[in-house]
Amino acid sequence: MHITQVRNATQLIQYAGKTFLVDPMLAEKAAYPGFPGTVQSHLRFPTVDLPLEMTTLLNIDAVLLTHTHLDHWDEAAVKQIPKDTLVFVQDDHDAQILRSQGFTNLTCFADGVTFEGISLTGTACQHGSDALYQQPELAERLGEVTGVILSHPDEETLYLVGDSIWTPAIEATMKNVQPGVVILNTGWAHVLGFGPIIMGQEDVLKTHQILPQAQIVATHMDAVNHTLVTRQTLREYVAVNVLGEWVHIPEDGETIRL
């Protein structure tokens, strides 16, 4: 497989001969105001430009959408992606959103689907702490999110964990599935008063402890206002913990071949 880091959680994944565009945020730099109620909300995002041409980003077989938050599915993506593109979504709620935006070729992967011999299966996520989800307004804003497992006889199993803090369900998935490659969203995004809503650097070490032979690809950094772990800080953490053999931290536009 080839995993190309685009920007934030947006990636191009070439897997078993097919190319997936994951969680496309395609707007120009500084298109949106920072997320209200999060750290550094005065910063506009995306904080950096797209590293690839739109023709490259749209030369795909399908879109893989973990959820519809603005930093994973934005107005520019809605405008730029052809409406007949195959889009894999987490559930009927997200399918209804995309139908209202004009998309016509939607498949839910929550319970498992097969596409050209590739199996896609949804996995549980929790986009923040229990305390945060006890706040009705915040719980509604963060909503349902998911991860996904891709498998094929000719490839290592790939676990795209998605926007989540560390949970027992994620740990159980790692132990049960034993993926050879794990993509972690490690920017440690914070909501004011409630702390992280996605993983950070310590979760990279936890993943390695559970899956000592897996290759880990870190993403969702250096592009939106509320992330606090940068590539540089994660590289320093990886070096101190002697994890460089297993952890990849690609720059925007860089491709990892696994």
Side-chain angles (χ1 to χ4, degrees):
M1 74 187 77
H2 293 176
I3 300 172
T4 299
Q5 174 64 27
V6 179
R7 184 182 59 185
N8 196 49
T10 307
Q11 296 179 317
L12 288 168
I13 299 178
Q14 293 174 279
Y15 190 88
K18 300 299 177 182
T19 301
F20 297 88
L21 176 61
V22 178
D23 287 354
M25 177 178 67
L26 303 182
E28 296 180 354
K29 180 179 177 180
Y32 308 118
F35 288 111
T38 68
V39 299
Q40 305 179 134
S41 61
H42 63 284
L43 299 176
R44 296 184 68 86
F45 74 95
T47 59
V48 293
D49 292 314
L50 277 171
L52 302 173
E53 296 293 331
M54 199 63 63
T55 52
T56 299
L57 295 172
L58 299 183
N59 184 21
I60 57 173
D61 296 289
V63 170
L64 179 53
L65 189 60
T66 64
H67 62 296
T68 57
H69 289 167
L70 185 61
D71 57 335
H72 294 254
W73 177 252
D74 71 346
E75 299 162 11
V78 172
K79 181 178 179 180
Q80 296 279 359
I81 296 172
K83 294 300 187 286
D84 61 350
T85 300
L86 173 59
V87 184
F88 291 100
V89 295
Q90 64 170 333
D91 55 22
D92 288 337
H93 175 267
D94 284 6
Q96 290 175 8
I97 291 173
L98 267 70
R99 285 192 196 98
S100 73
Q101 295 167 336
F103 290 88
T104 60
N105 190 4
L106 306 171
T107 298
C108 296
F109 62 79
D111 297 324
V113 296
T114 301
F115 169 60
E116 301 289 344
I118 302 168
S119 295
L120 299 91
T121 305
T123 63
C125 287
Q126 185 173 322
H127 204 358
S129 65
D130 291 343
L132 185 152
Y133 272 91
Q134 290 169 4
Q135 306 297 314
E137 182 181 348
L138 289 173
E140 183 177 358
R141 281 178 58 191
L142 290 170
E144 297 294 326
V145 296
T146 192
V148 62
I149 294 168
L150 278 69
S151 61
H152 186 277
D154 296 335
E155 294 276 14
E156 293 277 6
T157 299
L158 169 63
Y159 179 19
L160 172 62
V161 175
D163 266 8
S164 184
I165 60 171
W166 189 272
T167 67
I170 285 173
E171 184 171 338
T173 297
M174 290 181 180
K175 290 178 177 178
N176 293 335
V177 175
Q178 292 290 306
V181 179
V182 181
I183 298 175
L184 294 178
N185 293 355
T186 56
W188 212 41
H190 272 54
V191 169
L192 289 173
F194 292 94
I197 58 173
I198 65 174
M199 293 186 183
Q201 59 190 20
E202 292 183 0
D203 302 302
V204 174
L205 179 57
K206 289 179 184 177
T207 299
H208 176 66
Q209 289 169 339
I210 293 170
L211 301 168
Q213 301 305 314
Q215 295 295 303
I216 301 168
V217 180
T219 186
H220 205 320
M221 293 172 285
D222 297 331
V224 291
N225 70 278
H226 58 339
T227 55
L228 298 180
V229 169
T230 67
R231 290 187 182 96
Q232 182 59 36
T233 57
L234 184 56
R235 288 192 182 102
E236 293 169 0
Y237 182 87
V238 165
V240 167
N241 285 279
V242 196
L243 298 173
E245 182 178 348
W246 299 280
V247 180
H248 307 269
I249 310 170
E251 294 288 340
D252 292 348
E254 181 180 354
T255 298
I256 305 296
R257 294 168 172 82
L258 300 168

